[in-house]
Amino acid sequence: MLNIHFSTYFSIDTENKLIDRPSSKDLKNNIKRYIEEHLVNINSDDDFREYIIKKGQSTEIITCANNLLSEEDDSIKLDYCEKIAKRLVNKEYEAQQKVKHLDVEVQKGGLIITYFTTKDAKSFFVITKVHFIDVLMETNFKKEKATPEKEHMLKTVIVPIIDNKISNQTIENKAFITDSTKSKMSLAATFWWKEFLELDAKNTDKENTDRAFNKIDAYLKDKFYKDNKLDYYSCRNSLISYMKSSPSFTFNSAIDTIVGDGSTLDYFDKFKTDTEKSDEIKKINDEIKKLNKIKDNIIFDGSFAIDKKTIKSRMKKIIKLDNAISLSIDDEVENLRNKIVSDIDAKGKHIKIYSEDGYNEFNR
């Protein structure tokens, strides 16, 4: 449940550089209902990327937001919101001119500005751009028919409020942004986070890719290597395959590729019932999803565009076979479990590597 302290809505006409603030009792109530339904858990969404508000940073949006937070008169609050809406329509118009020759349009929509306190006493300032195709009627913000609703929150920024401010002289603050108009989950549209909001991105895609791969790889090794070495190499191979083939990283899609239903991993054979197996898979999912955070600090974003050069440099794995021979795995290996097989015969322990090139090289 949210305690909504203030909310308003503006209609945005980018083409004509116009804003309007429609007002009615139904619209006001439906806006609040929309905020309660869609923003209640938004700060925990995996698709958000973290941006930085520097200590003492003062920009037009931050200044308006702080003035709004300290103001008691609603009419003056609306004046500050109008400045925010005007800045958005101007920045959208400028962005539209830059991509006009590509036959690309900045998506049309409206703007919600609000701040509220959650049930756990955390306060947030939120600006979200929404659109209404097949979902909501702009005249009254009322749902007309059932369709997937997440994607009509086009762009959202949510900022923790600290001491009734979003920028403090002594504390660096965070801003969490999602942008459904971009590929999951590259940096949000530049005009939104850099031109309109004037924020700094915390992590680059290169940094995110490097840190995510290293943390997940280390987790997989710790989880499987001691008792199920082949499971570790198999999961690592799946991680490489995922990060090579997918344009972007999200926890859910990564986990589905790496672990899936557990049917290919020997580790899960020890669980006697489907419930036990299911519980362990959920536990692994939850553990992997916590890898990007140490306390409240985000090491890598939960969603980002995968940097292919970075993942290429992380693929190589050298396995020492004896004092003179090492096996180098340089890339994703298709059907790894059947490609490299361990066995024991009269001469001792060995591995088989199914390779036509290898056979031709060593064939007597």
Side-chain angles (χ1 to χ4, degrees):
M1 184 68 181
L2 299 179
N3 181 10
I4 301 172
H5 306 296
F6 173 85
S7 64
T8 190
Y9 169 79
F10 288 89
S11 178
I12 302 294
D13 181 353
T14 303
E15 185 177 355
N16 297 302
K17 296 178 71 174
L18 296 174
I19 64 168
D20 181 43
R21 195 177 70 82
S23 180
S24 72
K25 187 175 181 180
D26 281 348
L27 175 63
K28 189 174 182 179
N29 290 336
N30 288 331
I31 290 287
K32 287 189 174 182
R33 190 176 299 113
Y34 183 90
I35 293 168
E36 289 170 348
E37 289 178 0
H38 294 275
L39 300 181
V40 62
N41 293 317
I42 203 165
N43 60 305
S44 61
D45 197 309
D46 289 336
D47 288 344
F48 274 78
R49 286 192 64 156
E50 184 175 333
Y51 294 72
I52 296 170
I53 299 174
K54 296 176 182 177
K55 296 176 185 177
Q57 185 173 353
S58 180
T59 67
E60 183 173 4
I61 298 298
I62 291 172
T63 299
C64 286
N66 283 330
N67 287 337
L68 193 156
L69 291 172
S70 63
E71 182 57 57
E72 295 184 2
D73 189 322
D74 276 356
S75 64
I76 299 178
K77 287 178 186 283
L78 290 172
D79 290 340
Y80 291 125
C81 291
E82 186 174 323
K83 289 182 180 180
I84 293 174
K86 284 181 177 178
R87 181 178 178 85
L88 175 63
V89 78
N90 287 332
K91 296 302 177 183
E92 283 197 344
Y93 182 83
E94 292 172 8
Q96 182 64 70
Q97 300 313 301
K98 291 177 182 178
V99 299
K100 205 170 187 178
H101 65 288
L102 300 175
D103 197 28
V104 175
E105 287 190 358
V106 174
Q107 286 190 273
K108 299 176 181 179
L111 192 71
I112 295 174
I113 302 171
T114 184
Y115 64 95
F116 51 75
T117 301
T118 63
K119 62 181 180 181
D120 54 357
K122 294 181 179 179
S123 296
F124 298 97
F125 181 85
V126 176
I127 302 172
T128 186
K129 185 184 175 186
V130 294
H131 79 117
F132 312 91
I133 299 172
D134 293 334
V135 184
L136 299 168
M137 294 297 291
E138 186 173 10
T139 52
N140 61 9
F141 224 81
K142 184 178 180 181
K143 190 188 305 181
E144 290 297 313
K145 62 180 181 178
T147 59
E149 294 185 327
K150 186 175 182 179
E151 294 307 316
H152 51 82
M153 283 173 30
L154 296 176
K155 296 173 174 65
T156 299
V157 58
I158 180 164
V159 186
I161 298 171
I162 301 172
D163 297 330
N164 206 40
K165 293 181 179 179
I166 67 170
S167 178
N168 191 287
Q169 293 298 322
T170 58
I171 303 173
E172 181 178 271
N173 202 1
K174 304 170 184 177
F176 299 95
I177 293 179
T178 187
D179 184 351
S180 67
T181 67
K182 301 292 286 184
S183 63
K184 283 185 172 289
M185 205 18 221
S186 60
L187 286 169
T190 302
F191 86 84
W192 176 256
W193 68 270
K194 189 173 184 180
E195 306 297 335
F196 170 55
L197 297 169
E198 299 180 274
L199 300 173
D200 293 319
K202 182 175 181 180
N203 300 316
T204 65
D205 290 328
K206 183 179 185 302
E207 290 169 335
N208 275 323
T209 302
D210 187 50
R211 294 167 186 169
F213 182 87
N214 289 340
K215 290 290 287 186
I216 295 173
D217 184 32
Y219 170 84
L220 294 172
K221 188 171 185 178
D222 182 66
K223 188 74 177 178
F224 299 120
Y225 186 80
K226 183 179 179 181
D227 299 318
N228 303 90
K229 289 183 175 63
L230 188 56
D231 282 353
Y232 164 62
Y233 288 118
S234 179
C235 286
R236 187 181 191 276
N237 191 60
S238 296
L239 173 62
I240 291 171
S241 174
Y242 170 78
M243 298 193 89
K244 277 183 62 182
S245 60
S246 177
S248 55
F249 174 96
T250 65
F251 275 120
N252 287 337
S253 60
I255 292 168
D256 284 345
T257 301
I258 298 165
V259 179
D261 62 1
S263 59
T264 62
L265 302 178
D266 298 333
Y267 172 82
F268 291 100
D269 292 345
K270 62 186 177 183
F271 297 101
K272 297 179 180 179
T273 67
D274 289 342
T275 300
E276 289 177 338
K277 181 179 176 181
S278 178
D279 288 345
E280 181 64 15
I281 291 173
K282 184 180 184 306
K283 179 184 174 185
I284 291 173
N285 288 358
D286 292 341
E287 288 172 347
I288 291 177
K289 286 184 176 182
K290 293 176 182 177
L291 293 176
N292 72 326
K293 295 179 183 178
I294 297 178
K295 295 184 179 179
D296 291 331
N297 294 320
I298 293 180
I299 304 167
F300 62 90
D301 291 294
S303 299
F304 55 85
I306 296 171
D307 184 84
K308 300 304 178 183
K309 289 183 179 179
T310 298
I311 194 59
K312 187 175 182 179
S313 69
R314 293 289 175 268
M315 290 190 295
K316 191 169 186 176
K317 185 77 173 178
I318 297 176
I319 302 165
K320 195 169 182 64
L321 302 182
D322 63 21
N323 289 334
I325 303 174
S326 293
L327 172 64
S328 178
I329 301 177
D330 300 325
D331 202 338
E332 167 195 358
V333 180
E334 187 176 351
N335 199 17
L336 175 65
R337 286 178 175 269
N338 295 321
K339 186 88 170 180
I340 305 173
V341 181
S342 63
D343 203 353
I344 303 175
D345 62 16
K347 293 182 180 180
K349 297 176 181 177
H350 63 274
I351 61 170
K352 294 178 183 178
I353 301 176
Y354 289 90
S355 164
E356 185 172 343
D357 291 341
Y359 174 84
N360 293 334
E361 190 70 26
F362 289 96
N363 184 33
R364 296 173 181 176

